[in-house]
Amino acid sequence: MKTDGNHARNESEASNPPHPSHPPHPPQDPDRLLPPRGDYQTLLSFKKAEVVYDITFRFAHKFLSRNDRTIDQMIQSARSGKKNILEGSKAGRASKETELKLTNVARASLEELLDDYLDFLRARDLPLWDKESKEARYVRKLGCKTPQTFEYYRKFVETRPPAVVANIAICLIHQTNYLVDQQLLRLEKDFLEHGGLRERMTRLRLQYRKTHPRQ
């Protein structure tokens, strides 16, 4: 299959899942210091990152040489992508700044992992699927199933050659990156509209003083 230099960007655009990265937050109660946050397990970005990790763990141990340092690098990047989404979601209850920072770390880790898969294909003269190939479209369709679990991809990871597994991972990383990008936009919007913890503390303290004047 032929590939082009814009494949990564185009694949990302073509594989945008129609799911939100996170269910919309309920309206924030101005009288609450710590707003409610969604459970990280409801994040589609987390679910997809978990699938990427499961595929990468098996891919690295199955297809890379035992002494290849890339094994640890790829697994660590996949783990960082998953764990930082989790930690960011949990930290967001008290600090939007921390949630933004950790989610950005997750995005950077996934991008590094994507580059490792692309390096694997390029260095071995293996084909990179065109974004409109039937294989890429099939993986995108699988990626739209909910809930996302590794079981949708297990038979391919266990039976297909390394080039196929790497391309599956690449498609899923593009989808995950898109979701994380949307998540970051939402977090930035929330921060601009509602501020961080210190701003909420100041606002609520002033409101309390107005409603509870000293006698």
Side-chain angles (χ1 to χ4, degrees):
M1 299 178 184
K2 294 182 179 179
T3 62
D4 58 77
N6 293 324
H7 177 92
R9 176 177 60 81
N10 293 337
E11 176 67 25
S12 180
E13 294 170 354
S15 61
N16 294 351
H19 309 290
S21 59
H22 198 302
H25 292 319
Q28 293 200 21
D29 185 346
D31 294 326
R32 290 192 60 172
L33 180 60
L34 296 178
R37 305 295 298 177
D39 187 342
Y40 70 88
Q41 291 186 348
T42 67
L43 283 165
L44 183 57
S45 59
F46 175 80
K47 291 293 189 183
K48 280 190 173 291
E50 189 170 59
V51 173
V52 169
Y53 173 83
D54 290 344
I55 292 175
T56 300
F57 184 88
R58 290 163 173 80
F59 176 90
H61 286 296
K62 184 175 182 180
F63 297 120
L64 298 178
S65 301
R66 179 172 299 180
N67 296 325
D68 192 336
R69 293 176 59 187
T70 309
I71 293 176
D72 290 338
Q73 292 171 0
M74 292 183 72
I75 292 175
Q76 181 55 38
S77 292
R79 183 182 184 278
S80 176
K82 172 177 176 283
K83 293 296 185 181
N84 278 290
I85 293 173
L86 181 159
E87 293 175 18
S89 180
K90 287 298 184 183
R93 179 169 170 78
S95 173
K96 292 183 184 294
E97 297 95 324
T98 301
E99 185 175 11
L100 271 167
K101 179 180 178 181
L102 291 173
T103 306
N104 265 309
V105 172
R107 180 63 171 82
S109 295
L110 290 167
E111 194 67 27
E112 182 179 354
L113 178 62
L114 174 63
D115 192 58
D116 282 333
Y117 276 112
L118 293 172
D119 283 346
F120 178 89
L121 295 177
R122 186 182 63 256
R124 293 163 177 78
D125 293 323
L126 297 172
L128 175 64
W129 291 347
D130 184 84
K131 67 184 181 69
E132 294 302 332
S133 67
K134 65 179 182 179
E135 295 89 350
R137 291 198 303 269
Y138 181 78
V139 174
R140 289 201 295 274
K141 185 177 179 179
L142 282 182
C144 291
K145 291 180 177 291
T146 55
Q148 272 290 290
T149 71
F150 173 70
E151 295 308 314
Y152 287 124
Y153 310 93
R154 180 184 292 277
K155 67 178 181 180
F156 303 109
V157 174
E158 293 179 349
T159 63
R160 299 302 193 269
V164 172
V165 180
N167 273 287
I168 290 173
I170 287 169
C171 290
L172 291 175
I173 294 170
H174 280 308
Q175 288 189 326
T176 309
N177 282 345
Y178 170 80
L179 290 171
V180 174
D181 286 342
Q182 298 306 302
Q183 195 172 326
L184 286 167
L185 289 174
R186 176 184 56 77
L187 289 171
E188 291 170 1
K189 183 175 183 291
D190 285 351
F191 181 76
L192 291 174
E193 291 181 353
H194 304 290
L197 178 61
R198 292 178 183 175
E199 291 169 285
R200 292 198 301 274
M201 291 173 66
T202 300
R203 183 169 61 248
L204 292 176
R205 183 60 180 168
L206 291 174
Q207 290 175 359
Y208 181 84
R209 288 178 178 177
K210 289 180 180 180
T211 56
H212 298 79
R214 293 182 179 179
Q215 299 299 328

